[in-house]
Coordinates of all heavy atoms in Angstrom, one line a residue:
E506 N 191.2 35.1 106.1 CA 191.7 35.6 104.8 C 190.5 36.1 104.0 O 189.4 35.5 103.9 CB 192.4 34.5 104.0 CG 193.0 35.0 102.7 CD 193.9 33.9 102.1 OE1 194.0 32.8 102.6 OE2 194.5 34.3 101.0
V507 N 190.6 37.3 103.5 CA 189.5 38.0 102.7 C 189.8 37.8 101.2 O 190.9 38.1 100.8 CB 189.3 39.5 103.0 CG1 188.2 40.1 102.2 CG2 189.1 39.7 104.5
T508 N 188.8 37.2 100.5 CA 189.0 37.0 99.0 C 188.0 37.8 98.2 O 187.0 38.3 98.8 CB 188.9 35.5 98.7 OG1 187.6 35.1 99.1 CG2 189.9 34.7 99.3
G509 N 188.3 38.0 97.0 CA 187.3 38.7 96.1 C 187.4 40.2 96.1 O 186.6 40.9 95.6
K510 N 188.5 40.7 96.7 CA 188.7 42.2 96.7 C 189.8 42.6 95.9 O 190.5 43.6 96.2 CB 188.9 42.7 98.2 CG 187.6 42.5 99.0 CD 186.6 43.5 98.6 CE 185.4 43.4 99.5 NZ 184.3 44.4 99.1
W531 N 177.0 41.1 107.8 CA 178.3 41.6 107.4 C 179.3 41.2 108.4 O 179.0 41.1 109.6 CB 178.2 43.1 107.2 CG 177.4 43.5 106.0 CD1 176.1 43.8 106.0 CD2 177.9 43.7 104.7 NE1 175.7 44.1 104.7 CE2 176.8 44.1 103.9 CE3 179.2 43.6 104.1 CZ2 177.0 44.4 102.6 CZ3 179.3 43.9 102.8 CH2 178.2 44.3 102.0
F562 N 184.4 45.8 105.3 CA 183.2 44.9 105.6 C 183.0 44.0 104.4 O 183.1 44.5 103.2 CB 182.0 45.8 105.7 CG 181.9 46.5 107.1 CD1 182.5 47.7 107.3 CD2 181.2 45.9 108.1 CE1 182.4 48.3 108.5 CE2 181.1 46.5 109.4 CZ 181.7 47.7 109.5
V563 N 182.8 42.8 104.7 CA 182.6 41.8 103.6 C 181.5 40.8 104.0 O 181.1 40.7 105.1 CB 183.9 41.0 103.3 CG1 185.0 41.9 102.8 CG2 184.4 40.3 104.6
R564 N 181.1 40.1 103.0 CA 180.1 39.0 103.3 C 180.8 37.7 103.7 O 182.0 37.5 103.5 CB 179.3 38.7 102.0 CG 178.5 39.9 101.5 CD 177.3 40.2 102.4 NE 176.4 41.1 101.7 CZ 175.3 41.5 102.2 NH1 174.9 41.0 103.4 NH2 174.5 42.4 101.6
Q565 N 180.0 36.9 104.4 CA 180.6 35.7 105.0 C 181.3 34.8 103.9 O 182.3 34.2 104.2 CB 179.5 34.9 105.7 CG 180.0 33.7 106.5 CD 179.0 33.1 107.4 OE1 178.0 33.7 107.7 NE2 179.2 31.8 107.7
N566 N 180.8 34.8 102.7 CA 181.4 33.9 101.7 C 182.7 34.5 101.1 O 183.3 33.9 100.3 CB 180.4 33.7 100.5 CG 180.0 34.9 99.8 OD1 180.4 36.0 100.2 ND2 179.2 34.8 98.7
Q567 N 183.1 35.7 101.6 CA 184.3 36.3 101.2 C 185.5 36.1 102.2 O 186.5 36.6 102.1 CB 184.2 37.8 100.9 CG 183.3 38.0 99.7 CD 183.1 39.5 99.6 OE1 182.3 40.1 100.3 NE2 183.8 40.1 98.6
V568 N 185.2 35.3 103.3 CA 186.3 35.1 104.3 C 186.5 33.6 104.5 O 185.5 32.8 104.4 CB 185.9 35.8 105.7 CG1 186.0 37.3 105.5 CG2 184.6 35.4 106.2
T569 N 187.7 33.3 104.8 CA 188.1 31.9 105.1 C 188.9 31.9 106.4 O 189.8 32.8 106.5 CB 189.0 31.3 104.0 OG1 188.3 31.4 102.7 CG2 189.4 29.9 104.2

Side-chain angles (χ1 to χ4, degrees):
E506 184 171 3
V507 178
T508 57
K510 292 291 183 181
W531 288 88
F562 284 88
V563 295
R564 297 291 189 175
Q565 185 170 339
N566 65 354
Q567 293 177 281
V568 292
T569 304

